Structures are given as structure tokens and as C-alpha cells.
Amino acid sequence: MDRGYNSSLKSLKIGDKVAELPIIQGGMGVGVSRSSLAGAVAAEGGVGIISTAQIGFDEEGFEKDQAGCNRRAIRKHICKAKEIAGGKGLIGVNIMVALKHYKEHVQEAVACGADMIISGAGLPMELPELVPEFCRTRIAPIVSSKRALHLILKMWAHRYNRTADLIVVEGPEAGGHLGFSREQLAHRGELDFDQEIRDIITCKKEYEEKFGREIPVVIAGGIFDRKDIDHAMFLGADGVQIASRFVATRECDADESYKQAYVNAREEDVQIIQSPVGMPGRALRNSFIKAVEKGRIPVKKCYNCLEKCNPGQVPYCITKALIDAVKGDVENGLMFCGANVGRIDKITTVHELMRELAEG
């Protein structure tokens, strides 16, 4: 592929699929990673990931029919991303287990020919049932511990005689929803996550032998530059997943003010919050978070996003908060981010970022 740069990084092989660069752009919702960003990453030989979380927020009729608009938008954005990619790289989707319409999102992505489904924010125990083995879509759980991976792979093997095609291991410096307790996150410097990664790699080898195939492992959370990528590879990983850095690109689907907020962010602006999803999350401190700290923000309308959500009790509506932010109201919306957002100092292009990451 003539991208105008060279890389010593090995390609990422996921079953019969190959991404020339072992770089997955992490899924970011609501509306931060849709077809524009995912397509551009795939066009560079990487793996572009579309987040399906309320992906149809700007579709006509969303206020009345979120489920229908989301299904329509999944189809639209997968097709559009593949057009932008022009046959290069891979296009996948990130689908949160916590979603109310998780099953429908998975089925829509499979029908549209998504190259892979990455699934976290809960344990994707039923994912193999929704993705036939004979179809072209590969399946990948997101885990943050050996224990979680063992539970998933043991269940998949027993119930479906299937295993993962890829494993995403998300560390404590990731953005968005996190698979760690608030106490662990408060003392993340004491976590030996490198050892956890090694343990996860050891754990998956049992299933590689059982199913006679390789299961690549991709490291996510706090991956910022080539030094981080090289460290992940040293630990035994096959690739990396990077999210926050792709926000500050021209191709990112978010509003320009959202991108600029990343550029302006300082390390001390980042904090851990509690999400209505029921998990801790990492976000930029702004007027919205300050308001939540003072008291509950009443939910005026339910957008049917989460399987387990009581609009009368949650501290705020996560759909409204995320949509407000991605549309440009960066003070009064929720802005998830990774721990290293303070290091981002400019808006670039996907091509330049991929070249920087690939060449080192």
C-alpha cells in the first residue's frame, strides 16, 4: 500500500482478515467515531471502529424512534466507511453490552458485513449466538482482567464451541467506561497491569490450542505514541487500540469545538466519574460535571439507550449529555477522554497521525 511512509510494525491478522497496520482506532460514542473517522483509519491500513451507541442521534425521527434510527444509521455508516476505505484496512463496530438494543445492533452490523464486532461495558456472554461462525464478522471481547477473559472464553467454549477471534485488553488509563473499581483507579500507579497483560496472554493460549487458531491480543488504554506501541509489543501483544488521539483529527466525526477541547485539556482537567451505565468513567471536568456533583440533573426524556436504567434515579441522562457534547456544547455535555488527553497539543489528520504512530 502506498501511504507515503514506511513502518516496521507487523500486520494484524484476525482469522482470515488482515490489517496492514496493527492499529485499531477505538470506538467512541456518542457520534465521535462514525464513518468519517473509521473510514479514514481503514484507508491508512488500520482498523476503523464505529461506535453504535445512539449512532442515529442526528437521523430524522430520532426523538420518536431511537431504535429504528440507530439501526438505519448503523447500516449507513458501515457502508459509508467502507466506501471511504476503498477496500483497504478493516471496518468494525463497538457495541456496548449495556445497550438496551444490543442484540439488534449486533445483528445489524453482521447483516451489513462489518469486519468485526468489539464488545465491552459488560461481559458479552451471548455474542457468539448472535454472530454465526460462517459469517464474515469476527468477534472480540473487551476485558480488563484475566478473570474476566477466563469467564468469557470458558462460557463461549462450553455453550457455543466457539472462541474469540481477537481480544482487546483495556487498561486503567483508558477513556470512557472502565472495567476497574474507583479504588483501583485512584491507585492505578500501584496496579501491575503489565503482569495482567502477560497473564491474559497466557490464559488465551489454552483456547488457541483447543480451537487450533491464533487469537491476537490488542492492548488499549493510555497508548499515545510509538514508544507505547513498542512496549505493548514487547509484552507480547499483536496490536494496539488508540482512541483519544484520533479525536484531534480533521476526520473525527465530532464537532470542531469538541476536538479543540481535547487540545486545550490539561492533565488536571481529567477526572473519574460515575456513569449511569453503572461503571466508572474517565472524562473532562467541565460545567456539566460540576453540576452533577451538586446534585442530580432530572431526566426529562428517556432515549431508551441502556438495558438497566431507571430514569427516575440516575444522576443524569447519559444520552443527552453525550449528544450535547458531540454537537459542540463542550461545557454542558459529557466528554469522555483518556488519561493522556493533556498531551494532545494540535489537530492533525488521520494520515499524519498514522504515519507518526507507524514510523515512530
Side-chain angles (χ1 to χ4, degrees), residues 153-360:
L153 296 188
K154 186 178 180 181
M155 173 69 82
W156 286 8
H158 174 72
R159 184 181 290 179
Y160 307 108
N161 195 31
R162 294 270 297 278
T163 196
D165 297 302
L166 173 83
I167 297 163
V168 178
V169 183
E170 194 169 85
E173 296 191 342
H177 295 107
L178 303 163
F180 298 87
S181 68
R182 289 183 75 103
E183 184 177 352
Q184 286 176 313
L185 293 169
H187 301 94
R188 72 178 193 271
E190 299 171 15
L191 292 173
D192 186 357
F193 200 70
D194 282 3
Q195 186 57 49
E196 195 71 37
I197 291 168
R198 294 188 187 98
D199 291 345
I200 285 170
I201 290 171
T202 299
C203 177
K204 63 102 177 184
K205 287 180 180 177
E206 173 189 341
Y207 295 89
E208 287 181 321
E209 293 170 7
K210 179 178 175 66
F211 289 93
R213 69 172 74 170
E214 292 185 1
I215 306 173
V217 170
V218 167
I219 307 302
I223 308 293
F224 191 86
D225 54 22
R226 180 57 187 268
K227 179 181 176 183
D228 297 325
I229 295 174
D230 289 342
H231 180 67
M233 300 305 194
F234 171 76
L235 292 173
D238 302 283
V240 295
Q241 178 176 282
I242 300 172
S244 291
R245 291 212 64 188
F246 284 103
V247 172
T249 61
R250 290 178 193 164
E251 294 89 347
C252 175
D253 296 85
D255 185 87
E256 291 304 310
S257 58
Y258 191 104
K259 304 175 190 182
Q260 194 59 47
Y262 265 51
V263 175
N264 297 341
R266 301 163 301 172
E267 183 180 353
E268 56 265 34
D269 296 328
V270 180
Q271 78 173 72
I272 301 299
I273 64 163
Q274 193 62 29
S275 165
V277 169
M279 305 172 73
R282 180 172 280 110
L284 282 179
R285 182 171 179 79
N286 58 7
S287 298
F288 170 77
I289 288 179
K290 293 173 186 176
V292 172
E293 288 174 345
K294 291 178 181 178
R296 181 174 176 269
I297 300 175
V299 178
K300 297 178 181 178
K301 176 184 175 66
C302 177
Y303 288 90
N304 300 297
C305 60
L306 301 176
E307 176 65 31
K308 296 178 181 178
C309 177
N310 183 337
Q313 293 183 350
V314 290
Y316 56 89
C317 172
I318 192 168
T319 284
K320 183 180 186 306
L322 290 170
I323 290 175
D324 286 348
V326 81
K327 284 184 173 181
D329 190 353
V330 297
E331 270 302 314
N332 299 299
L334 175 58
M335 296 190 64
F336 282 135
C337 65
N340 288 323
V341 66
R343 295 171 63 186
I344 296 174
D345 59 6
K346 64 180 179 180
I347 294 174
T348 183
T349 64
V350 166
H351 174 74
E352 287 302 318
L353 177 54
M354 291 290 275
R355 177 164 69 176
E356 175 197 327
L357 296 170
E359 291 186 342

Side-chain angles (χ1 to χ4, degrees), residues 109-161:
V110 170
C112 296
D115 290 309
M116 74 175 68
I117 292 171
I118 296 176
S119 193
L123 301 181
M125 292 303 198
E126 298 176 0
L127 186 56
E129 183 178 336
L130 304 172
V131 184
E133 194 164 13
F134 57 79
C135 79
R136 60 183 292 183
T137 305
R138 301 291 165 255
I139 55 176
I142 300 175
V143 298
S144 294
S145 67
K146 175 189 173 184
R147 179 177 175 274
L149 179 66
H150 180 65
L151 283 171
I152 294 167
L153 296 188
K154 186 178 180 181
M155 173 69 82
W156 286 8
H158 174 72
R159 184 181 290 179
Y160 307 108
N161 195 31

Side-chain angles (χ1 to χ4, degrees), residues 8-59:
S8 59
L9 293 173
K10 294 181 180 179
S11 59
L12 177 62
K13 297 178 181 178
I14 310 164
D16 58 350
K17 298 179 183 293
V18 180
E20 187 173 344
L21 289 176
I23 298 172
I24 297 177
Q25 158 258 309
M28 295 171 284
V30 166
V32 180
S33 67
R34 296 199 292 181
S35 51
S36 176
L37 178 55
V41 171
E44 295 294 326
V47 182
I49 300 294
I50 296 165
S51 167
T52 71
Q54 300 292 45
I55 186 173
F57 74 93
D58 56 354
E59 294 284 321

